[in-house]
């Protein structure tokens, strides 16, 4: 009785450009070392009607070797060589694609000042882009210690060169971090963590205003996280005014080593 295929391995091979059936067939041949199409089918459950064509595609890509006969046998090329080939092709394709994208210079009539980001990677990448561009002043609000820690190194660097105001909704939870924090009024903290729109609960987790010109707010919406970026100075100015007004005069300081 064959062991089931590792689903994470199949997903990883799909991310590298193989189809699900190709990934299963390649894993099957690697497991069996060399095998007929029927044996690979029995191990992987790739449909019998498709298995031979899938194996021929893998051979054409250079991932399998074929020994003609009756029956025909397939043998896997060393996985280290196969993954190395995929890696080289991927890097070359990425470089070529980036060069081609950089050559595009269509003139757009206008760029929207408001954008929504819904991927975790995209949110964190956009925050880091904004942090890199800060010149004079940065205001940060956070209700999530976990999310705040993601940018601890960048904020530590900015602390030396710009006015840095760090606001948290609970001083006690953030006291282990090496910063000086300020706390807003309780009414403000309660208000931004109890927003319900059309039955969906929104919690503000992270908010940032850079140089009074660009802001990004990260919030949970139900069970997913999203961010809104605003690059409109008048709106950012009003947002800054709100944070200026809700701060209480108490501070917590950390003795830095």
């Amino acid at each position: 009785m064959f062991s089931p295929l590792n689903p994470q391995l199949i997903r990883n091979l799909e991310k590298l450009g193989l189809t699900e059936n190709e990934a299963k067939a390649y894993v099957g041949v690697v497991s069996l070392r060399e095998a007929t199409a029927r044996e690979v089918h029995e191990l992987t459950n790739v449909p019998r009607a498709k298995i031979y064509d899938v194996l021929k595609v893998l051979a054409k890509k250079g991932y399998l070797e074929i020994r003609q006969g009756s029956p025909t046998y397939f043998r896997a090329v060393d996985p280290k060589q196969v993954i190395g080939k995929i890696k080289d092709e991927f890097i070359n394709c990425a470089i070529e694609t980036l060069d081609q994208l950089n050559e595009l210079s269509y003139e757009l009539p206008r760029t929207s000042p408001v954008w929504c980001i819904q991927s975790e990677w995209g949110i964190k990448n956009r925050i880091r882009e904004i942090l890199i561009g800060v010149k004079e002043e940065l205001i940060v609000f956070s209700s999530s210690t976990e999310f705040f820690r993601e940018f601890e190194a960048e904020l530590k660097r900015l602390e030396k060169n710009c006015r840095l105001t760090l606001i948290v909704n609970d001083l006690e939870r953030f006291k282990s971090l090496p910063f000086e924090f300020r706390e807003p009024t309780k009414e403000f903290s309660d208000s931004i963590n109890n927003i319900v729109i059309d039955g969906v609960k929104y919690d503000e987790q992270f908010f940032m205003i850079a140089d009074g010109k660009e802001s990004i707010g990260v919030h949970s919406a139900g069970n997913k996280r999203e961010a809104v970026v605003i690059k409109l100075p008048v709106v950012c100015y009003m947002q800054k005014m709100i944070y200026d007004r809700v701060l209480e005069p108490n501070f917590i300081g950390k003795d830095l080593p």
Side-chain angles (χ1 to χ4, degrees):
M1 184 71 180
F2 293 124
S3 301
L5 302 181
N6 183 338
Q8 184 60 51
L9 175 57
I10 302 303
R11 286 193 292 270
N12 286 342
L13 287 168
E14 288 182 76
K15 289 179 181 178
L16 292 175
L18 276 68
T19 67
E20 181 181 0
N21 282 339
E22 289 170 356
K24 288 179 177 179
Y26 180 69
V27 170
V29 178
V30 171
S31 301
L32 297 168
R33 291 181 169 77
E34 63 176 53
T36 64
R38 178 179 178 179
E39 290 169 335
V40 179
H41 154 70
E42 290 174 349
L43 172 61
T44 64
N45 288 323
V46 174
R48 184 188 294 271
K50 295 182 178 180
I51 186 64
Y52 193 72
D53 287 340
V54 170
L55 291 169
K56 286 198 295 183
V57 168
L58 290 171
K60 188 173 182 180
K61 290 181 177 182
Y63 303 166
L64 301 179
E65 296 176 349
I66 300 177
R67 190 181 76 205
Q68 298 289 355
S70 183
T72 298
Y73 275 82
F74 298 86
R75 183 173 67 178
V77 174
D78 184 349
K80 184 182 295 185
Q81 296 179 19
V82 170
I83 298 303
K85 178 177 183 290
I86 293 174
K87 177 183 175 183
D88 290 342
E89 290 175 347
F90 181 85
I91 291 174
N92 291 335
C93 179
I95 292 172
E96 182 180 352
T97 301
L98 180 59
D99 289 341
Q100 292 171 347
L101 288 171
N102 286 336
E103 290 174 1
L104 298 176
S105 58
Y106 298 113
E107 281 196 23
L108 300 178
R110 188 171 181 175
T111 300
S112 172
V114 181
W115 293 91
C116 181
I117 306 172
Q118 295 183 326
S119 77
E120 192 76 10
W121 177 87
I123 291 170
K124 293 176 181 178
N125 184 61
R126 189 69 184 93
I127 289 174
R128 288 193 167 94
E129 283 183 358
I130 294 173
L131 288 174
I132 289 172
V134 175
K135 303 297 183 186
E136 298 177 357
E137 181 185 35
L138 182 70
I139 298 173
V140 176
F141 168 81
S142 182
S143 64
S144 167
T145 54
E146 178 186 358
F147 200 78
F148 186 94
R149 287 181 189 276
E150 291 274 346
F151 311 101
E152 182 176 341
E154 290 90 341
L155 291 170
K156 213 57 188 149
R157 285 194 294 269
L158 285 171
E159 194 175 40
K160 302 172 184 178
N161 304 314
C162 74
R163 296 191 303 278
L164 188 61
T165 302
L166 302 177
I167 309 165
V168 297
N169 68 332
D170 187 338
L171 294 177
E172 184 65 24
R173 289 196 300 112
F174 286 80
K175 68 179 183 180
S176 63
L177 291 161
F179 295 98
E180 287 188 343
F181 293 105
R182 302 185 69 177
E183 189 174 41
T185 60
K186 183 177 183 304
E187 291 76 14
F188 176 78
S189 296
D190 290 343
S191 68
I192 63 173
N193 286 318
N194 290 284
I195 302 171
V196 178
I197 302 174
D198 293 333
V200 178
K201 186 175 185 292
Y202 293 81
D203 287 328
E204 193 74 19
Q205 298 179 342
F206 192 85
F207 188 85
M208 195 167 73
I209 305 173
D211 292 326
K213 298 177 181 178
E214 183 172 10
S215 70
I216 180 169
V218 182
H219 57 265
S220 63
N223 59 356
K224 63 182 181 180
R225 180 181 281 163
E226 61 185 21
V228 176
V229 181
I230 298 177
K231 200 168 185 178
L232 202 60
V234 65
V235 174
C236 294
Y237 176 78
M238 289 188 288
Q239 290 172 330
K240 181 177 180 300
M241 285 181 60
I242 292 172
Y243 277 93
D244 286 341
R245 290 178 179 274
V246 299
L247 288 174
E248 290 184 350
N250 53 324
F251 285 80
I252 181 171
K254 295 299 298 178
D255 296 326
L256 301 182

